[in-house]
Amino acid sequence: MIGQYVLDLQEVDETQVALVGGKGAHLGALSRIEGIRVPGGFCVTTHAFRQIMAKAPSVEDLLDQLSHLNPDDREAIRTLSAQIRRTIEAVAIPGDLAAAITRALSRLGEQAPCAVRSSATAEDLPTASFAGQQDTYLNVVGPTAILQHVSRCWASQFTERAVTYRQRNGIDHRTVDMAVVVQRMVFPHASGILFTADPVTGNRKVATVDAGFGLGEALVSGLVNPDVFKVRHGEVLARTIAAKQRAVHALPAGGTQEVEVDPQRQEQPALTDAQAVRLVHLGRRIEEHFGRPQDIEWCLVDDDFQIVQSRPITTLFPIPETADQGNRIYVSVGHQQMMTDPMKPLGLSMWKLTAMAPMTEAGGRLFVDATRALSTPTGRTGLLDLVGRGDPLTRDALETVLDRDDFLPLLPDPAPGRPPAGGAPAPIETDPAVVNGLIERSRASIDALRRDIATKAGPALFDFLPEAFKEHKRVLTDPLNHQAIMAGMEATWWLNDKLYEWLGEKNAADTLTLSAPGNITSEMGLALLDVADVIRPHSEVVAFLQNVEDDSFLDELPKHAGGTRARDAIEGYLDRYGMRCAGEIDITRPRWRESPSTLVPAILDNVRNFEPGAAQRRFEQGRQEAWKKEQDVLTRLRALPDGERKAEETQRMIKRVRTFIGYREYPKYDIVSRYFVYKQALMKEAERLVRAKVLPEKEDVFYLTFQELHDAVRSNRVDDRLVRQRKEAFRTYQALTPSRVLTSDGETINGAYRRDDVPDGALVGLPVSGGTIEGRARVILDMGQADLEPGDILVTAFTDPSWSPLFVGIAGLVTEVGGLMTHGAVIAREYGLPAVVGVDRATRLIRDGQRIRVHGSDGYVEILS
């Protein structure tokens, strides 16, 4: 029985989290690593905690009440958690348990000062550290005090902060048990924290040491600023020595107190450089044992380091796996595709199978390995120029890495080979028939896909899909397709560059491309205005839509006056655009056809904010503005020296941009149209697996890769544990923020705008659609929660084509992610909306309802109130 309650640290390792909690398991493992010193001690196991909880049956009712509370209801959580703690502390420790703890304590010395530390089973885990959620008591002396503080540690399972943390992370309070670690107290000269990877940049090769005098509580509580050492490859790269005016020391009779540091010592370093390097060497040994970067608490006693805690650093962005041990540079796909959220495994694998370039994954996101392209002068220049035109932040991030000459040395350009047969392709003609032909070919190919896939099921479906993916790629890699896209983009760049050079006018193409024909994404936004026109006259339908709560509303619509017409209008819209959704590159995201209620807020905004016929008027207004701008530009050019030639070239480019720029959006429409066909077929297989009781829910297939789903269909078996692990991993990925550029060292780099031409306090971004607008900021992260009024400025993390229906009702746009030719920028120009994208942390720095001014031509945002 005694062994069930108490285990010596030397008897414990990292496999025993369920018995001794995360902290206890890690300390036990640390004590077994050669060369690592850990203060001696023992663990009071979770068996003891469960026995105490069994003696407090009223806690069960309190936990029921707690589980139903909103995590934001702080007052109710505070009251209930305090009641639970009082109940637990009031339970008398049974005699056999008290005796076991006292016997273990006698081996340390009955009156030996000890640290009594909580160790929860959901603590110091690879995916969540739970740091600081439960209590630790230092310099506790004597058996009576030790037992009292063990009770307090059990009760600290229900501190307000621990309860809130679990509720926000969806963790059932009953699934977490509490052990307690009792260790001999050490009285250090200095103490602090070692991160074996840089916690700010993520660089796995740079360790960071925070150090102060006395006990580490002074640093943890924020009482003093630490000395900071950056160490790489056995050398101190940088050090910052702080003025350490206060320290925490132990009292002779127990407990701790704050003391003033002697003024002559305050600015002395707490560690020497040699000690910092030696500590990092110990940290690397610990990191190697646990297999991942660690956050380590240490004490320095008589020039000897003792380790009092080690936990995984859970905030680091993972590094893509590669067999190549050389330095690598990865570029985020999500920042190009306007979807920086994590993707589920089926979404990741489907995008990789259908993408035009090889991709790797990390943290639920996709990256392209740009190392090879950046390794030669020609490749580097070409990639930086291409990236820089779309997103200067990505270019700056790449240049930040490349400026370090030792990270990726330049290799000579390969010797030129023979020119390709036939020479360079002839330039594409400015002919609308080119675009029309491409669209017809796309439609025919998708119709054939729908027809052929309808006859496939089970293993035959998975035999068919690889061939479908080949056709998918064939359509998108058609040289004519690429030429049409580039023709529109290059004409835009030409107009902006030349008209700025000749007329001093910024972003002239923004107006010249208004209401360009054939833009499937802008047409989608205007088409929802037409849906609103059908619904607006029917007050009963409008009232019904205002209370829609689920996706069955289309079946209910015909029961209301005008409802049949309304339903037919929405169904027609879904037939054309129902394959779209937010984050549509992830096949697992619910499409509008699957979740039509997503569109209801935008429809109601259009009913409220627009008059009948708004779509046609808006398109015609844009067309007229573009025509007037063209006449104005040509007139001014003709007045210049050599003006006739300049005007003629410009007119030719205007015709070219208006012919091709709308097609820029069509390939994405082709992709998501195919994706919905694939998804519908795959979900039928998922439903069959549910009927066969292979899976509990059809959405569980989202946590399998394409190949794993293929295997499941053939074998009628799925590893339930794998699905659970993938769900947990996805939950942790949602808390991570990907950067534009990631290195094989784990360093995350987002780039910076090197500008000094913006007002103080302004938020800097990339100008993508000209004009200046002032209005109310609406910070919206979920399109389904939109509630817009005329004149509002949409502020969001990123926009993909699915956000276009909102663009018709706003006056301006600000996003955190985006580039000159990304979808949000293209549609903002189509609709004539001043827009600034790539504004770092815009959704956090701008509060919903604030008045802001967007400078779409100059690329910055001012917060006015």
Side-chain angles (χ1 to χ4, degrees), residues 661-849:
I661 198 62
Y663 184 71
R664 164 73 179 83
E665 294 292 296
Y666 202 87
K668 187 71 171 287
Y669 179 77
D670 179 290
I671 292 170
V672 296
S673 296
R674 293 174 191 275
Y675 262 38
F676 193 38
V677 177
Y678 305 149
K679 183 178 185 180
Q680 288 173 308
L682 292 174
M683 293 315 289
K684 288 178 182 176
E685 297 304 313
E687 289 164 3
R688 190 185 63 76
L689 291 172
V690 171
R691 288 195 301 272
K693 302 192 182 307
V694 176
L695 289 173
E697 298 178 352
K698 63 181 182 180
E699 287 78 12
D700 285 349
V701 299
F702 297 160
Y703 297 94
L704 303 175
T705 66
F706 177 79
Q707 184 58 51
E708 289 165 349
L709 177 53
H710 183 184
D711 294 342
V713 167
R714 288 188 182 277
S715 67
N716 255 15
R717 286 198 304 272
V718 169
D719 184 345
D720 295 338
R721 187 179 59 176
L722 177 66
V723 172
R724 287 196 302 273
Q725 289 172 345
R726 295 269 177 82
K727 288 181 177 180
E728 173 62 20
F730 181 74
R731 187 184 66 78
T732 65
Y733 295 156
Q734 288 176 304
L736 300 176
T737 301
S739 62
R740 287 172 169 81
V741 170
L742 177 66
T743 74
S744 50
D745 286 350
E747 187 175 7
T748 58
I749 310 162
N750 266 311
Y753 295 105
R754 315 291 176 176
R755 295 178 56 185
D756 54 9
D757 59 343
V758 298
D760 289 343
L763 307 181
V764 183
L766 178 66
V768 296
S769 184
T772 300
I773 193 69
E774 184 178 315
R776 179 181 66 159
R778 293 310 316 271
V779 181
I780 298 172
L781 299 179
D782 179 355
M783 177 184 163
Q785 303 300 316
D787 181 15
L788 297 166
E789 299 288 345
D792 283 349
I793 297 170
L794 174 62
V795 180
T796 190
F798 54 81
T799 62
D800 59 13
S802 72
W803 286 73
S804 300
L806 297 188
F807 283 26
V808 298
I810 59 175
L813 175 68
V814 179
T815 69
E816 294 179 343
V817 176
L820 190 63
M821 295 308 296
T822 50
H823 302 279
V826 171
I827 304 307
R829 292 193 290 271
E830 276 280 318
Y831 288 166
L833 303 174
V836 179
V837 302
V839 180
D840 187 40
R841 296 177 297 141
T843 60
R844 283 168 279 181
L845 297 175
I846 300 171
R847 294 194 307 275
D848 187 57

Side-chain angles (χ1 to χ4, degrees), residues 216-278:
E217 297 307 293
L219 300 187
V220 173
S221 64
L223 185 64
V224 297
N225 291 324
D227 297 341
V228 180
F229 300 81
K230 300 280 187 182
V231 179
R232 176 174 177 149
H233 298 323
E235 293 184 13
V236 174
L237 300 177
R239 73 185 64 73
T240 303
I241 307 303
K244 300 170 287 296
Q245 298 175 340
R246 312 282 292 174
V248 174
H249 286 175
L251 292 169
T256 62
Q257 71 173 5
E258 292 180 20
V259 298
E260 287 192 18
V261 176
D262 185 321
Q264 293 184 337
R265 291 184 63 222
Q266 287 178 5
E267 296 193 19
Q268 290 181 4
L271 295 178
T272 66
D273 282 6
Q275 287 171 329
V277 169
R278 179 154 52 93

Side-chain angles (χ1 to χ4, degrees), residues 187-192 211-216 269-271 275 298-301 305:
F187 303 102
H189 158 74
S191 58
F213 294 127
L215 294 169
L271 295 178
Q275 287 171 329
W298 55 269
C299 295
L300 180 65
V301 184
F305 285 106

Side-chain angles (χ1 to χ4, degrees), residues 851-865:
R851 195 155 189 84
I852 63 174
R853 185 181 296 130
V854 177
H855 296 263
S857 299
D858 297 310
Y860 64 91
V861 180
E862 293 179 284
I863 300 176
L864 305 178
S865 66

Side-chain angles (χ1 to χ4, degrees), residues 460-712:
L461 172 66
F462 289 89
D463 293 336
F464 166 77
L465 282 171
E467 294 304 313
F469 298 160
K470 289 180 183 177
E471 170 66 5
H472 179 128
K473 291 184 179 182
R474 187 196 65 76
V475 171
L476 293 173
T477 55
D478 181 341
L480 193 59
N481 182 57
H482 178 71
Q483 284 178 285
I485 294 170
M486 292 307 299
M489 293 169 66
E490 288 167 351
T492 301
W493 299 334
W494 189 96
L495 286 167
N496 281 335
D497 291 346
K498 290 298 185 181
L499 295 181
Y500 182 71
E501 176 189 340
W502 293 337
L503 299 176
E505 185 160 342
K506 292 181 180 178
N507 305 318
D510 294 357
T511 305
L512 292 167
T513 55
L514 288 172
S515 297
N519 187 315
I520 190 73
T521 306
S522 63
E523 289 170 359
M524 178 171 68
L526 297 176
L528 205 62
L529 287 174
D530 292 334
V531 173
D533 285 354
V534 174
I535 291 171
R536 190 179 295 106
H538 305 292
S539 58
E540 193 175 326
V541 170
V542 173
F544 168 73
L545 291 177
Q546 287 170 343
N547 295 294
V548 163
E549 294 182 355
D550 58 49
D551 294 317
S552 65
F553 75 95
L554 287 173
D555 296 331
E556 300 296 315
L557 267 177
K559 299 176 183 178
H560 302 273
T564 299
R565 290 194 66 217
R567 182 197 60 190
D568 291 347
I570 296 172
E571 287 283 1
Y573 186 86
L574 292 172
D575 288 344
R576 181 83 164 121
Y577 304 110
M579 75 295 289
R580 311 221 80 149
C581 68
E584 60 194 9
I585 70 168
D586 183 353
I587 198 172
T588 72
R589 292 287 190 103
R591 311 284 134 173
W592 290 342
R593 171 53 81 183
E594 297 169 314
S595 183
S597 60
T598 305
L599 293 170
V600 170
I603 292 171
L604 290 172
D605 282 347
N606 289 348
V607 167
R608 183 175 66 248
N609 297 333
F610 292 93
E611 296 296 323
Q616 181 59 36
R617 284 196 305 275
R618 189 182 189 108
F619 185 82
E620 183 57 26
Q621 179 184 347
R623 199 179 66 80
Q624 289 293 330
E625 285 184 40
W627 183 82
K628 290 175 184 175
K629 184 68 175 179
E630 178 179 356
Q631 302 312 305
D632 172 64
V633 163
L634 296 177
T635 299
R636 290 158 60 198
L637 286 173
R638 290 187 180 108
L640 298 176
D642 198 20
E644 284 299 330
R645 179 189 61 81
K646 291 173 180 174
E648 184 179 329
E649 287 184 14
T650 300
Q651 190 168 29
R652 190 165 61 247
M653 279 298 176
I654 291 172
K655 182 180 180 183
R656 191 166 180 80
V657 79
R658 291 190 67 81
T659 297
F660 290 113
I661 198 62
Y663 184 71
R664 164 73 179 83
E665 294 292 296
Y666 202 87
K668 187 71 171 287
Y669 179 77
D670 179 290
I671 292 170
V672 296
S673 296
R674 293 174 191 275
Y675 262 38
F676 193 38
V677 177
Y678 305 149
K679 183 178 185 180
Q680 288 173 308
L682 292 174
M683 293 315 289
K684 288 178 182 176
E685 297 304 313
E687 289 164 3
R688 190 185 63 76
L689 291 172
V690 171
R691 288 195 301 272
K693 302 192 182 307
V694 176
L695 289 173
E697 298 178 352
K698 63 181 182 180
E699 287 78 12
D700 285 349
V701 299
F702 297 160
Y703 297 94
L704 303 175
T705 66
F706 177 79
Q707 184 58 51
E708 289 165 349
L709 177 53
H710 183 184
D711 294 342

